[in-house]
mmCIF file of all heavy atoms in Angstrom:
data_model
loop_
_atom_site.group_PDB
_atom_site.id
_atom_site.type_symbol
_atom_site.label_atom_id
_atom_site.label_comp_id
_atom_site.label_asym_id
_atom_site.label_seq_id
_atom_site.Cartn_x
_atom_site.Cartn_y
_atom_site.Cartn_z
ATOM 1 N N PRO A 1 -16.610 11.356 -0.027
ATOM 2 C CA PRO A 1 -15.353 11.978 -0.538
ATOM 3 C C PRO A 1 -14.282 11.978 0.509
ATOM 4 O O PRO A 1 -14.613 12.012 1.730
ATOM 5 C CB PRO A 1 -15.882 13.399 -0.906
ATOM 6 C CG PRO A 1 -16.921 13.610 0.065
ATOM 7 C CD PRO A 1 -17.607 12.292 0.310
ATOM 8 N N ILE A 2 -13.043 12.026 0.190
ATOM 9 C CA ILE A 2 -11.946 12.089 1.096
ATOM 10 C C ILE A 2 -10.991 13.247 0.741
ATOM 11 O O ILE A 2 -10.990 13.825 -0.365
ATOM 12 C CB ILE A 2 -11.131 10.730 1.040
ATOM 13 C CG1 ILE A 2 -10.490 10.513 -0.337
ATOM 14 C CG2 ILE A 2 -12.068 9.601 1.450
ATOM 15 C CD1 ILE A 2 -9.636 9.277 -0.375
ATOM 16 N N ASP A 3 -10.095 13.498 1.659
ATOM 17 C CA ASP A 3 -9.067 14.581 1.453
ATOM 18 C C ASP A 3 -7.905 13.886 0.784
ATOM 19 O O ASP A 3 -7.526 12.726 1.115
ATOM 20 C CB ASP A 3 -8.630 15.113 2.785
ATOM 21 C CG ASP A 3 -9.690 16.044 3.388
ATOM 22 O OD1 ASP A 3 -10.415 16.682 2.684
ATOM 23 O OD2 ASP A 3 -9.831 15.986 4.674
ATOM 24 N N LEU A 4 -7.272 14.635 -0.084
ATOM 25 C CA LEU A 4 -6.040 14.114 -0.768
ATOM 26 C C LEU A 4 -5.014 13.797 0.268
ATOM 27 O O LEU A 4 -4.281 12.823 0.122
ATOM 28 C CB LEU A 4 -5.531 15.123 -1.817
ATOM 29 C CG LEU A 4 -4.189 14.732 -2.482
ATOM 30 C CD1 LEU A 4 -4.488 13.441 -3.347
ATOM 31 C CD2 LEU A 4 -3.671 15.857 -3.380
ATOM 32 N N ASP A 5 -4.915 14.533 1.346
ATOM 33 C CA ASP A 5 -3.827 14.256 2.358
ATOM 34 C C ASP A 5 -4.090 12.915 2.994
ATOM 35 O O ASP A 5 -3.078 12.278 3.342
ATOM 36 C CB ASP A 5 -3.958 15.365 3.382
ATOM 37 C CG ASP A 5 -3.429 16.676 2.973
ATOM 38 O OD1 ASP A 5 -2.782 16.721 1.834
ATOM 39 O OD2 ASP A 5 -3.725 17.717 3.539
ATOM 40 N N VAL A 6 -5.380 12.490 3.074
ATOM 41 C CA VAL A 6 -5.575 11.212 3.678
ATOM 42 C C VAL A 6 -5.058 10.050 2.753
ATOM 43 O O VAL A 6 -4.409 9.070 3.239
ATOM 44 C CB VAL A 6 -7.149 10.977 3.843
ATOM 45 C CG1 VAL A 6 -7.397 9.570 4.321
ATOM 46 C CG2 VAL A 6 -7.655 11.937 4.895
ATOM 47 N N ALA A 7 -5.177 10.228 1.423
ATOM 48 C CA ALA A 7 -4.700 9.272 0.464
ATOM 49 C C ALA A 7 -3.226 9.224 0.482
ATOM 50 O O ALA A 7 -2.571 8.190 0.513
ATOM 51 C CB ALA A 7 -5.300 9.489 -0.908
ATOM 52 N N LEU A 8 -2.617 10.468 0.510
ATOM 53 C CA LEU A 8 -1.146 10.586 0.451
ATOM 54 C C LEU A 8 -0.537 10.016 1.695
ATOM 55 O O LEU A 8 0.664 9.560 1.693
ATOM 56 C CB LEU A 8 -0.746 12.029 0.158
ATOM 57 C CG LEU A 8 -1.186 12.631 -1.177
ATOM 58 C CD1 LEU A 8 -0.711 14.080 -1.253
ATOM 59 C CD2 LEU A 8 -0.543 11.750 -2.400
ATOM 60 N N ALA A 9 -1.274 10.070 2.766
ATOM 61 C CA ALA A 9 -0.695 9.608 4.052
ATOM 62 C C ALA A 9 -0.460 8.102 4.008
ATOM 63 O O ALA A 9 0.366 7.552 4.754
ATOM 64 C CB ALA A 9 -1.605 9.928 5.237
ATOM 65 N N ASP A 10 -1.176 7.371 3.149
ATOM 66 C CA ASP A 10 -1.069 5.958 2.953
ATOM 67 C C ASP A 10 0.153 5.538 2.119
ATOM 68 O O ASP A 10 0.438 4.373 1.988
ATOM 69 C CB ASP A 10 -2.288 5.358 2.377
ATOM 70 C CG ASP A 10 -3.461 5.202 3.325
ATOM 71 O OD1 ASP A 10 -3.194 5.430 4.545
ATOM 72 O OD2 ASP A 10 -4.623 4.882 2.912
ATOM 73 N N LEU A 11 0.747 6.606 1.430
ATOM 74 C CA LEU A 11 1.834 6.284 0.598
ATOM 75 C C LEU A 11 3.159 6.719 1.197
ATOM 76 O O LEU A 11 3.309 7.712 1.747
ATOM 77 C CB LEU A 11 1.598 7.123 -0.762
ATOM 78 C CG LEU A 11 0.374 6.745 -1.580
ATOM 79 C CD1 LEU A 11 0.150 7.732 -2.638
ATOM 80 C CD2 LEU A 11 0.400 5.382 -2.072
ATOM 81 N N GLN A 12 4.187 5.788 1.078
ATOM 82 C CA GLN A 12 5.422 6.059 1.699
ATOM 83 C C GLN A 12 6.456 6.297 0.594
ATOM 84 O O GLN A 12 6.413 5.548 -0.387
ATOM 85 C CB GLN A 12 5.844 4.949 2.538
ATOM 86 C CG GLN A 12 4.887 4.584 3.613
ATOM 87 C CD GLN A 12 4.756 5.590 4.697
ATOM 88 O OE1 GLN A 12 5.712 6.082 5.161
ATOM 89 N NE2 GLN A 12 3.536 5.886 5.069
ATOM 90 N N ILE A 13 7.314 7.231 0.692
ATOM 91 C CA ILE A 13 8.436 7.428 -0.145
ATOM 92 C C ILE A 13 9.456 6.369 0.062
ATOM 93 O O ILE A 13 10.098 6.195 1.151
ATOM 94 C CB ILE A 13 9.135 8.789 -0.031
ATOM 95 C CG1 ILE A 13 8.146 9.934 -0.178
ATOM 96 C CG2 ILE A 13 10.332 8.903 -0.932
ATOM 97 C CD1 ILE A 13 7.513 9.950 -1.597
ATOM 98 N N GLY A 14 9.565 5.429 -0.858
ATOM 99 C CA GLY A 14 10.459 4.195 -0.650
ATOM 100 C C GLY A 14 9.610 3.009 -1.055
ATOM 101 O O GLY A 14 8.534 3.058 -1.760
ATOM 102 N N ALA A 15 10.148 1.821 -0.682
ATOM 103 C CA ALA A 15 9.558 0.660 -1.203
ATOM 104 C C ALA A 15 8.271 0.180 -0.481
ATOM 105 O O ALA A 15 7.261 -0.136 -1.089
ATOM 106 C CB ALA A 15 10.550 -0.506 -1.051
ATOM 107 N N TYR A 16 8.220 0.221 0.842
ATOM 108 C CA TYR A 16 7.140 -0.275 1.540
ATOM 109 C C TYR A 16 6.733 0.644 2.808
ATOM 110 O O TYR A 16 7.657 1.211 3.387
ATOM 111 C CB TYR A 16 7.347 -1.683 2.096
ATOM 112 C CG TYR A 16 7.804 -2.669 1.068
ATOM 113 C CD1 TYR A 16 9.103 -3.112 1.020
ATOM 114 C CD2 TYR A 16 6.936 -3.088 0.023
ATOM 115 C CE1 TYR A 16 9.549 -3.949 0.096
ATOM 116 C CE2 TYR A 16 7.398 -3.887 -0.940
ATOM 117 C CZ TYR A 16 8.704 -4.366 -0.904
ATOM 118 O OH TYR A 16 9.137 -5.251 -1.882
ATOM 119 N N ALA A 17 5.524 0.646 3.062
ATOM 120 C CA ALA A 17 5.084 1.143 4.355
ATOM 121 C C ALA A 17 5.530 0.216 5.441
ATOM 122 O O ALA A 17 5.721 -0.959 5.198
ATOM 123 C CB ALA A 17 3.553 1.303 4.404
ATOM 124 N N GLU A 18 5.825 0.775 6.684
ATOM 125 C CA GLU A 18 6.418 -0.095 7.702
ATOM 126 C C GLU A 18 5.620 -1.269 8.017
ATOM 127 O O GLU A 18 6.193 -2.331 8.298
ATOM 128 C CB GLU A 18 6.557 0.837 8.981
ATOM 129 C CG GLU A 18 7.353 0.123 10.066
ATOM 130 C CD GLU A 18 7.596 0.981 11.247
ATOM 131 O OE1 GLU A 18 7.379 2.223 11.101
ATOM 132 O OE2 GLU A 18 7.942 0.494 12.312
ATOM 133 N N ASP A 19 4.250 -1.143 7.974
ATOM 134 C CA ASP A 19 3.468 -2.278 8.429
ATOM 135 C C ASP A 19 2.786 -2.965 7.230
ATOM 136 O O ASP A 19 1.934 -3.866 7.337
ATOM 137 C CB ASP A 19 2.312 -1.820 9.357
ATOM 138 C CG ASP A 19 1.459 -0.804 8.763
ATOM 139 O OD1 ASP A 19 1.859 -0.232 7.756
ATOM 140 O OD2 ASP A 19 0.330 -0.475 9.296
ATOM 141 N N ALA A 20 3.234 -2.634 6.012
ATOM 142 C CA ALA A 20 2.709 -3.294 4.795
ATOM 143 C C ALA A 20 3.511 -4.476 4.414
ATOM 144 O O ALA A 20 4.745 -4.487 4.553
ATOM 145 C CB ALA A 20 2.562 -2.303 3.676
ATOM 146 N N VAL A 21 2.834 -5.529 3.831
ATOM 147 C CA VAL A 21 3.539 -6.732 3.484
ATOM 148 C C VAL A 21 3.139 -7.008 2.045
ATOM 149 O O VAL A 21 1.974 -7.175 1.664
ATOM 150 C CB VAL A 21 3.147 -7.882 4.429
ATOM 151 C CG1 VAL A 21 3.844 -9.137 3.919
ATOM 152 C CG2 VAL A 21 3.502 -7.598 5.819
ATOM 153 N N PRO A 22 4.124 -7.268 1.175
ATOM 154 C CA PRO A 22 3.794 -7.655 -0.244
ATOM 155 C C PRO A 22 3.223 -9.079 -0.224
ATOM 156 O O PRO A 22 3.536 -9.836 0.732
ATOM 157 C CB PRO A 22 5.103 -7.563 -0.964
ATOM 158 C CG PRO A 22 6.179 -7.641 0.120
ATOM 159 C CD PRO A 22 5.534 -7.013 1.336
ATOM 160 N N GLU A 23 2.508 -9.362 -1.251
ATOM 161 C CA GLU A 23 1.887 -10.750 -1.405
ATOM 162 C C GLU A 23 2.106 -11.316 -2.799
ATOM 163 O O GLU A 23 2.297 -10.518 -3.737
ATOM 164 C CB GLU A 23 0.332 -10.654 -1.169
ATOM 165 C CG GLU A 23 -0.041 -10.322 0.285
ATOM 166 C CD GLU A 23 -1.544 -10.414 0.402
ATOM 167 O OE1 GLU A 23 -2.295 -9.996 -0.462
ATOM 168 O OE2 GLU A 23 -2.033 -11.001 1.393
ATOM 169 N N LEU A 24 2.140 -12.632 -2.837
ATOM 170 C CA LEU A 24 2.140 -13.296 -4.057
ATOM 171 C C LEU A 24 0.736 -14.064 -4.252
ATOM 172 O O LEU A 24 0.320 -14.700 -3.330
ATOM 173 C CB LEU A 24 3.246 -14.368 -4.128
ATOM 174 C CG LEU A 24 4.686 -13.889 -3.837
ATOM 175 C CD1 LEU A 24 5.648 -15.033 -4.002
ATOM 176 C CD2 LEU A 24 5.036 -12.769 -4.865
ATOM 177 N N ILE A 25 0.183 -13.839 -5.423
ATOM 178 C CA ILE A 25 -1.057 -14.562 -5.711
ATOM 179 C C ILE A 25 -0.772 -15.677 -6.733
ATOM 180 O O ILE A 25 -0.414 -15.358 -7.894
ATOM 181 C CB ILE A 25 -2.133 -13.695 -6.208
ATOM 182 C CG1 ILE A 25 -2.436 -12.567 -5.201
ATOM 183 C CG2 ILE A 25 -3.448 -14.466 -6.506
ATOM 184 C CD1 ILE A 25 -3.476 -11.530 -5.703
ATOM 185 N N VAL A 26 -0.858 -16.876 -6.389
ATOM 186 C CA VAL A 26 -0.481 -18.025 -7.253
ATOM 187 C C VAL A 26 -1.740 -18.587 -7.899
ATOM 188 O O VAL A 26 -2.794 -18.764 -7.329
ATOM 189 C CB VAL A 26 0.193 -19.090 -6.453
ATOM 190 C CG1 VAL A 26 0.635 -20.272 -7.290
ATOM 191 C CG2 VAL A 26 1.346 -18.619 -5.640
ATOM 192 N N SER A 27 -1.614 -18.833 -9.190
ATOM 193 C CA SER A 27 -2.693 -19.353 -9.997
ATOM 194 C C SER A 27 -2.441 -20.546 -10.851
ATOM 195 O O SER A 27 -1.249 -20.765 -11.164
ATOM 196 C CB SER A 27 -3.287 -18.235 -10.904
ATOM 197 O OG SER A 27 -2.425 -18.026 -12.007
ATOM 198 N N TYR A 28 -3.373 -21.367 -11.077
ATOM 199 C CA TYR A 28 -3.324 -22.527 -11.855
ATOM 200 C C TYR A 28 -4.535 -22.571 -12.769
ATOM 201 O O TYR A 28 -5.669 -22.570 -12.361
ATOM 202 C CB TYR A 28 -3.241 -23.767 -11.031
ATOM 203 C CG TYR A 28 -3.328 -25.068 -11.822
ATOM 204 C CD1 TYR A 28 -2.616 -25.312 -12.909
ATOM 205 C CD2 TYR A 28 -4.197 -26.055 -11.338
ATOM 206 C CE1 TYR A 28 -2.732 -26.467 -13.718
ATOM 207 C CE2 TYR A 28 -4.360 -27.283 -12.020
ATOM 208 C CZ TYR A 28 -3.613 -27.441 -13.207
ATOM 209 O OH TYR A 28 -3.770 -28.602 -13.976
#
């Protein structure tokens, strides 16, 4: 089990966390 604060700490108000990078997954 984890603390809610730990989960919320991973979430940033805004578009992205500073060190987070969006990805594209391409399929065929």
Side-chain angles (χ1 to χ4, degrees):
I2 63 175
D3 292 322
L4 178 63
D5 289 344
V6 173
L8 294 178
D10 285 349
L11 299 170
Q12 305 293 318
I13 301 298
Y16 307 110
E18 185 176 345
D19 59 346
V21 178
E23 289 186 320
L24 304 180
I25 301 178
V26 183
S27 71
Y28 169 48

